[in-house]
Amino acid sequence: AEAGGPRGTAPGQQLRALFYALPPAESSFRTVEEVPDYVEKSIPFFITFIGLEFAVSWIQKRKLPGRINDGISSLSLGILSRLPDVLFRSIDLISYIYIWNNYRLFELPWDSPWTWYLTLLGVDFAYYCFHRVSHEVNILWAAHQVHHSSEDYNLFTALRQSVLQKYTSWMFNLPMALFIPPSVFAVHLQFNLLYQFWIHTEVITKLGPLEWILNTPSHHRVHHGRNPYCIDKNYGGTLIIWDRIFGTFEAEDAKVVYGLTHPVNSFDPIMLQLRPLAHIWNTFWATPGFCNKLSVIFKGPGWGPGKPRLGLPEEIPVITGKEVPFNPPVPAYLNCYALVHFAIIVDLYTELLASISMLSQGTVLLRIGFIILSLASFGLLMENRSKAGILEIIRCLVFIGIYKLGYFRSQFSFLSYAYEV
């Protein structure tokens, strides 16, 4: 290999990619086209680690690390966030390559270890800046809050992502496009994201001296807390050094209660994406004065007329220790039904990813539309909404129609009849 090491993504390499442990010799590429899709190839490892987390949590505490409804909601949001990438190339790469091709000042060598390590720092610092701004600017928080909306904290939560966030994060990476090759950037953009998967867990406590440099499960638990001491802390992606430098670090102390300070109380992935935007819209028109209206959009989520930019700390709800997660009573059979049908949608989604190049745009749009309809229906079922059954009947009839017409197919042909049943 030109970079001095093996190419491709063998299982061992892919596993190490999850922990940012692939050295430059194994993860340097001349062109963007050669860069593997590390995220997609990590799906089997996501599933494996989720299963391992369940086993360890049961051994440690004799309880599972989450709930079916919240887990399906998180996975639904993860699928929803990836659907635009089925149709379009990542806006992060499109914008980066454009700046590189037209405005770069000089070109660092793509196969130099120094370029690799500099990009590691650059991508992580850009993530820190974007992440911090996403908590401190209301319109950006409306997108990012999706990731914080779970009241559980487990590896499912790591997959709970916003559809809209990627359309604001790209600009923070553009300064690197003036000198760092796109192929190197594309690798670290994925590694930074993958590293953040395994830190979303309670089964790992402390990691000793590594806590000083790396973002760890302990540090990230604080970031996901709604305790007053947790708010707006520990923004780092891979490294925790930026928080220590810029004064946003907080060590884990009192038991962390997870979720938003004002919970959304929904498992509907569409509602979780759109309700915060509706809140900003209503607040914008209800707030007097043009400057105040702009402040509603560009100041912190806790801002109001006469308050500091980020709001008043004393207005953050006090944690009593008696908080109960949103968990509507649902019959066990309905949870089982949602779980089975969600598994079918995951199968159809992964088959879509595998066959995208062979499908017409109309077929792709039809499949995406049905997946979105299904995820919304499951969310309403798990909330035990009165109209959920009607929507689910419609969804099942639509499924039968498009499945019979050949617009959907399973990766497992022997399950075709079972799916229809």
Side-chain angles (χ1 to χ4, degrees), residues 6 29 36 38 42 53 72 76 93 103 147 206 219 225 254 260 271-272 285 317 324 326 337 364 367 377 379:
F29 303 88
Y38 290 103
S42 292
E53 181 187 37
I72 290 178
S76 296
L93 282 178
Y103 299 104
H147 182 61
K206 296 280 189 175
H219 297 331
L260 302 170
M271 181 64 69
L272 286 166
W285 291 110
V324 178
F326 176 65
Y337 176 91
V364 171
R367 292 190 182 192
S377 182

Side-chain angles (χ1 to χ4, degrees), residues 59-259:
I59 292 170
Q60 287 180 342
K61 306 175 183 177
R62 285 294 184 269
K63 70 174 186 177
L64 298 179
R67 297 163 292 149
I68 291 175
N69 47 24
D70 191 81
I72 290 178
S73 178
S74 291
L75 293 176
S76 296
L77 287 161
I79 291 173
L80 204 61
S81 72
R82 298 282 291 176
L83 288 178
D85 296 335
V86 173
L87 294 172
F88 314 108
R89 194 175 190 180
S90 165
I91 190 172
D92 291 288
L93 282 178
I94 291 173
S95 57
Y96 193 97
I97 291 171
Y98 177 81
I99 297 297
W100 170 261
N101 287 338
N102 294 281
Y103 299 104
R104 69 177 180 266
L105 301 177
F106 56 92
E107 184 173 338
L108 294 178
W110 65 270
D111 54 353
S112 167
W114 291 107
T115 304
W116 194 94
Y117 288 112
L118 177 64
T119 311
L120 185 160
L121 293 173
V123 167
D124 201 59
F125 179 64
Y127 178 81
Y128 171 87
C129 294
F130 158 71
H131 198 182
R132 183 169 179 175
V133 169
S134 293
H135 279 252
E136 296 184 358
V137 174
N138 202 14
I139 191 67
L140 300 184
W141 170 248
H144 182 63
Q145 60 81 35
V146 171
H147 182 61
H148 286 263
S149 58
S150 173
E151 295 177 276
D152 294 340
Y153 188 76
N154 50 43
L155 294 178
F156 285 127
T157 310
L159 306 177
R160 192 181 189 97
Q161 299 294 329
S162 165
V163 172
L164 301 173
Q165 182 172 294
K166 65 184 71 179
Y167 300 106
T168 57
S169 61
W170 58 272
M171 62 189 74
F172 290 83
N173 295 310
L174 295 186
M176 289 180 285
L178 299 174
F179 53 93
I180 291 175
S183 61
V184 186
F185 168 73
V187 168
H188 287 277
L189 187 66
Q190 294 187 76
F191 284 0
N192 192 275
L193 177 65
L194 287 173
Y195 179 91
Q196 295 178 57
F197 170 74
W198 70 273
I199 61 176
H200 288 82
T201 185
E202 291 188 291
V203 302
I204 299 173
T205 52
K206 296 280 189 175
L207 295 178
L210 294 178
E211 303 275 341
W212 284 95
I213 301 169
L214 298 176
N215 194 11
T216 65
S218 176
H219 297 331
H220 207 58
R221 284 193 289 270
V222 171
H223 180 71
H224 273 260
R226 53 175 163 153
N227 312 55
Y229 85 92
C230 298
I231 302 299
D232 296 341
K233 300 296 182 183
N234 299 0
Y235 295 113
T238 300
L239 304 172
I240 203 66
I241 57 174
W242 315 116
D243 289 285
R244 295 185 183 277
I245 291 171
F246 297 109
T248 52
F249 174 75
E250 189 70 44
E252 188 176 19
D253 186 12
K255 179 175 173 54
V256 178
V257 177
Y258 303 107

Side-chain angles (χ1 to χ4, degrees), residues 280-341:
I280 290 177
W281 175 265
N282 293 332
T283 306
F284 177 87
W285 291 110
T287 303
F290 180 73
C291 290
N292 283 339
K293 289 183 184 296
L294 290 180
S295 295
V296 168
I297 298 174
F298 297 110
K299 290 188 178 180
W303 179 85
K307 298 179 184 178
R309 181 175 66 90
L310 299 180
L312 296 169
E314 56 267 28
E315 291 185 351
I316 298 171
V318 175
I319 296 300
T320 64
K322 298 179 181 179
E323 288 74 18
V324 178
F326 176 65
N327 197 28
V330 174
Y333 74 83
L334 197 55
N335 275 329
C336 291
Y337 176 91
L339 188 61
V340 169
H341 279 258

